């Protein structure tokens, strides 16, 4: 390959510079900061993954242990038009306490609730086994209810929301 500027080649030969380090050899050692960065990246990534798995696991656990997840929502309008079609079927209901009609030790509480999807009141019998729950007007509960004989609604379980 020929130089397009032969005169520039001749000029550079006369001004040749020799480096004082030309005869020395050197080696470059990698510093440990790069490996420390990799380790810290792995540790942070692992902790983040553990946190995400923990959060997902918590919500899956909570979902699978929800006793109301397999029940259909209580159809208030169907119940009020003809309760016999719903007799013996369990439903979930989001209830809001409207009034307490009375309590008898061997029978339980007779309560008036409104259901989330309707403002029409329904009467629910709270059995003595759920007697540890103290209902206050305006509080919200999630319950498993069943329409019994004569159209009276019985609560099988009840949890405060």
């Amino acid at each position: 390959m020929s130089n397009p500027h032969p005169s520039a080649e001749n000029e550079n030969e006369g001004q040749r510079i020799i480096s004082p380090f030309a005869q020395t050899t050197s080696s470059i050692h990698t510093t440990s900061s790069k490996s420390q960065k990799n380790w810290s990246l792995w540790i942070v990534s692992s902790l983040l993954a553990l946190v995400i798995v923990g959060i997902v696991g918590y919500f899956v656990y909570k979902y699978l242990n929800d006793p109301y997840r397999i029940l259909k929502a209580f159809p208030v309008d169907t119940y009020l038009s003809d309760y016999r079609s719903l007799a013996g079927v369990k439903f979930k209901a989001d209830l809001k306490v409207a009034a307490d009609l009375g309590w008898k030790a061997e029978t339980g509480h007779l309560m008036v609730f409104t259901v989330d999807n309707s403002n029409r009141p329904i009467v629910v019998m709270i059995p003595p086994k759920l007697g540890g729950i103290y209902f206050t007007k305006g509080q919200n509960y999630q319950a498993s209810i069943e329409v019994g004989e004569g159209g009276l609604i019985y609560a099988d379980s009840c949890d405060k929301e």
Side-chain angles (χ1 to χ4, degrees):
M1 178 172 201
S2 65
N3 190 356
H5 304 287
S7 61
E9 190 175 299
N10 293 337
E11 289 176 11
N12 288 338
E13 284 180 19
Q15 298 175 359
R16 190 168 188 192
I17 298 173
I18 298 174
S19 170
F21 304 107
Q23 302 300 321
T24 60
T25 59
S26 65
S27 60
I28 298 174
H29 295 286
T30 59
T31 60
S32 61
S33 66
K34 185 174 181 181
S35 64
Q36 286 177 350
K37 287 180 185 177
N38 285 340
W39 275 105
S40 62
L41 180 64
W42 276 104
I43 290 171
V44 169
S45 298
S46 299
L47 288 175
L48 184 62
L50 282 173
V51 168
I52 291 171
V53 167
I55 291 171
V56 169
Y58 171 76
F59 284 110
V60 167
Y61 174 79
K62 194 170 181 172
Y63 172 76
L64 292 177
N65 284 332
D66 181 11
Y68 308 111
R69 70 181 165 90
I70 58 172
L71 300 174
K72 292 182 182 178
F74 182 67
V76 177
D77 293 331
T78 305
Y79 169 77
L80 293 174
S81 66
D82 183 21
Y83 70 87
R84 288 178 289 234
S85 64
L86 303 176
V89 180
K90 287 188 179 185
F91 297 97
K92 71 176 172 183
D94 294 323
L95 305 172
K96 185 172 186 174
V97 178
D100 186 350
L101 297 178
W103 173 79
K104 206 172 199 182
E106 59 276 350
T107 310
H109 271 83
L110 193 58
M111 304 285 300
V112 178
F113 293 100
T114 57
V115 181
D116 234 8
N117 56 8
S118 173
N119 288 332
R120 300 169 77 181
I122 59 171
V123 177
V124 178
M125 175 62 74
I126 308 295
K129 70 178 183 178
L130 300 177
I133 301 173
Y134 296 102
F135 297 97
T136 305
K137 188 173 183 174
Q139 287 182 332
N140 293 318
Y141 292 88
Q142 192 170 38
S144 168
I145 59 176
E146 181 177 351
V147 178
E149 192 175 319
L152 184 58
I153 302 171
Y154 295 91
D156 293 326
S157 64
C158 191
D159 296 313
K160 188 173 180 180
E161 288 185 344

